[in-house]
Structures are given as C-alpha cells and as structure tokens.
Amino acid sequence: MTQRVELATVRDRLAVDGLVTEYAVAVDDGDWETYRALFTPDGRADYRSAGGIEGSARTVAGWLAESLGPYPVRQHLMVNRRVRFGVWEQDRGDTARVRADYVNPMCRTGAGGEPAEPEFVCGGRCVFAMLRTDDGWRLSGVVVREAWRRPTGRRTAPVVH
C-alpha cells in the first residue's frame, strides 16, 4: 500500500468511528435533529429487539423522543468497535459496517433535577451500515440488538430502549 492509500484508510476509519460516537451522543442528549442528520435520506433504524420499532430515521427519532422522554439521564458506552469497509469489486470503499457493543444505564431525575439511581441498565450490540456521501459518511442503517436488561432500582413502568 502506498502512504496515500494508508492515510485515506486511517481518515475513513476515524470518520466512521466518529459517526458511531455522534450517534450515541445524539441519543443520549436527545438531539433528534442531529440524530436524523446522521442518516442518509433513506436511512433506517431497527430497535425491535429492545421492544421498539423499525422504520425511517425520522420515524424512529420520533419514537425515541417519546419513549426516552421519562429517562433524561442516559449514557451509551460504545465499545469493541469492529470496522469493515466494503471489499466487493463494485465497491470503491464507499461502504462500511461497524459493529459495536454497548452498555446503557438510564434513569429519571430526582428532586432538584439531580440524577437518581439508574432504574435499569441494558446492553447489547449495534450494527451500523454506513455510506460515503458528498457530505461525508452517513448511516444507511442501524440495527440495535439488545442482549440483556437488568433493573437496578425501583421499576415503575415498562421501558423500551
């Protein structure tokens, strides 16, 4: 490999890794405008394994805003990221797939707006399909595969992630 190709690969790796981080931050911050902007126009997300829905990024953002509203304190920790770039003959490196494990504690706020003890912690794996666009790397699909959920405090109502 030439240095130019190696540098391009490193830049792409950093860009797709950054996109995963932006995704997690947007969900944790409830920034649904940013969440939608991370996707291609036809991008989709699938949260069915966590009791949610599958649909367009716009539709899923609305569902997330409603279902996560009671839990303003959340923190996705995305680890073990495995990045694979497209290698098919017709693909010039313009697609990527990233698999990342996550742990996500969620809680309501207590008196005075301080975070209360997390009501539950869940974990699993996200699979991100990505596409290089004129505006940079974007998500063409996200599949959340919740593997476990553990209540940590009092449980008031069913929660979807």
Side-chain angles (χ1 to χ4, degrees):
M1 261 193 208
T2 67
Q3 285 183 332
R4 181 171 286 150
V5 171
E6 289 173 1
L7 178 58
T9 301
V10 170
R11 284 192 348 220
D12 284 338
R13 166 65 196 218
L14 290 171
V16 299
D17 190 67
L19 187 55
V20 170
T21 299
E22 291 300 321
Y23 166 87
V25 170
V27 173
D28 290 344
D29 291 350
D31 185 349
W32 308 119
E33 184 177 329
T34 295
Y35 177 91
R36 289 187 296 272
L38 297 173
F39 285 81
T40 60
D42 60 346
R44 300 186 68 77
D46 183 348
Y47 286 79
R48 290 178 291 182
S49 75
I53 66 170
E54 187 275 334
S56 70
R58 177 167 297 286
T59 299
V60 171
W63 172 80
L64 285 169
E66 182 178 325
S67 64
L68 295 178
Y71 302 91
V73 180
R74 48 193 178 261
Q75 184 177 36
H76 284 78
L77 306 172
M78 307 293 279
V79 299
N80 300 333
R81 299 177 195 204
R82 185 173 73 182
V83 177
R84 300 288 187 260
F85 291 100
V87 293
W88 304 281
E89 283 185 28
Q90 72 274 12
D91 189 325
R92 301 182 317 260
D94 292 334
T95 63
R97 183 170 297 280
V98 178
R99 189 180 83 177
D101 296 332
Y102 71 89
V103 175
N104 177 27
M106 293 176 55
C107 62
R108 300 176 194 267
T109 52
E114 293 298 317
E117 178 181 334
E119 291 189 34
F120 72 93
V121 178
C122 61
R125 179 167 288 157
C126 292
V127 178
F128 300 92
M130 300 180 182
L131 180 66
R132 184 194 318 269
T133 71
D134 291 340
D135 296 320
W137 287 93
R138 295 293 182 266
L139 299 168
S140 57
V142 174
V143 177
V144 174
R145 296 180 179 146
E146 185 176 277
W148 58 272
R149 181 180 294 192
R150 184 185 74 216
T152 60
R154 68 188 187 317
R155 183 90 182 243
T156 56
V159 179
V160 290
H161 165 51

